[in-house]
């Protein structure tokens, strides 16, 4: 048992987190829904908190930038037993003022599981941010007449 506790503190056999979204593409101002799944490891562990961040990644002129757009905290501590599975509902709204996903702009949710006295676990889930339907129609019309998005536009 001591060996299992020691290994869990190093990250082997520790609790894991997985954000499962209902879909991977969202329109600006759309509601995101899914569930947050925490799977217990080989020993009981205390979870201090869980933070979910929506992050924008931007590639511009050979430089890579990231910016946290929004943070969704779950700050209710709890214990998770060995092999126990806990599921929490998750929902948030995509802000209406984001850049659209493109060659140089991408988005992902990063979920951070803060485990007391052990290596924390993270999960990353990419999503695509699309324009509203009427703007999608306009972009499709531009493509049909020969316009296209350039990598640096």
């Amino acid at each position: 048992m001591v060996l299992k506790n020691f290994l869990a503190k190093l990250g082997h056999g520790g609790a894991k987190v997985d954000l499962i979204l209902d879909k991977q593409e969202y329109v600006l101002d759309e509601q995101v829904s899914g569930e947050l799944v925490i799977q217990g490891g080989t020993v009981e562990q205390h979870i201090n908190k869980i933070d979910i961040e929506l992050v924008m990644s931007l590639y511009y002129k050979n430089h890579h930038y990231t910016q946290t757009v929004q943070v969704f905290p779950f700050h209710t501590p709890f214990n998770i037993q060995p092999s126990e599975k806990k599921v929490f509902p998750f929902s948030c709204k995509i802000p209406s003022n984001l850049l659209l996903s493109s060659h140089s702009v991408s988005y992902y949710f990063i979920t951070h599981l803060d485990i007391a006295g052990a290596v924390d676990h993270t999960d990353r889930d990419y999503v695509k941010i699309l324009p509203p339907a009427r703007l999608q129609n306009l972009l499709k019309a531009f493509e049909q007449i020969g316009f296209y998005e350039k990598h640096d536009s």
Side-chain angles (χ1 to χ4, degrees):
M1 185 64 162
V2 174
L3 181 59
K4 282 185 182 179
N5 282 332
F6 179 71
L7 289 174
K9 287 181 188 245
L10 295 177
H12 297 289
K16 304 234 182 285
V17 66
D18 188 17
L19 179 63
I20 301 171
L21 301 173
D22 291 343
K23 58 185 186 172
Q24 275 29 74
E25 293 185 349
Y26 295 92
V27 175
L28 292 172
D29 213 30
E30 185 177 356
Q31 190 72 25
V32 175
S33 61
E35 56 187 22
L36 184 62
V37 178
I38 294 86
Q39 180 65 51
T42 57
V43 296
E44 178 182 358
Q45 290 183 300
H46 181 74
I47 308 302
N48 291 325
K49 67 177 182 167
I50 303 168
D51 286 319
I52 301 173
E53 299 177 30
L54 176 59
V55 178
M56 178 183 71
S57 178
L58 174 68
Y59 185 78
Y60 181 69
K61 292 188 178 181
N62 296 325
H63 290 86
H64 188 206
Y65 306 94
T66 59
Q67 175 69 44
T68 299
V69 174
Q70 208 165 1
V71 178
F72 311 96
F74 288 87
H75 287 175
T76 305
F78 60 92
N79 286 346
I80 189 152
Q81 301 301 318
S83 301
E84 179 183 10
K85 183 177 181 179
K86 290 189 181 251
V87 179
F88 302 98
F90 173 74
S91 68
C92 69
K93 192 171 189 178
I94 297 292
S96 61
N97 61 345
L98 295 180
L99 297 173
L100 301 176
S101 293
S102 66
H103 297 292
S104 58
V105 178
S106 62
Y107 293 91
Y108 56 89
F109 285 97
I110 188 161
T111 308
H112 179 74
L113 184 65
D114 184 349
I115 305 170
V119 173
D120 298 337
H121 187 261
T122 58
D123 176 50
R124 186 175 294 204
D125 298 279
Y126 282 86
V127 292
K128 189 170 185 179
I129 306 298
L130 303 172
R134 58 182 197 271
L135 183 55
Q136 284 182 30
N137 292 337
L138 180 65
L139 294 174
K140 285 179 186 172
F142 277 133
E143 285 177 13
Q144 289 175 349
I145 60 173
F147 289 97
Y148 61 94
E149 179 185 6
K150 291 171 45 177
H151 180 71
D152 60 349
S153 65

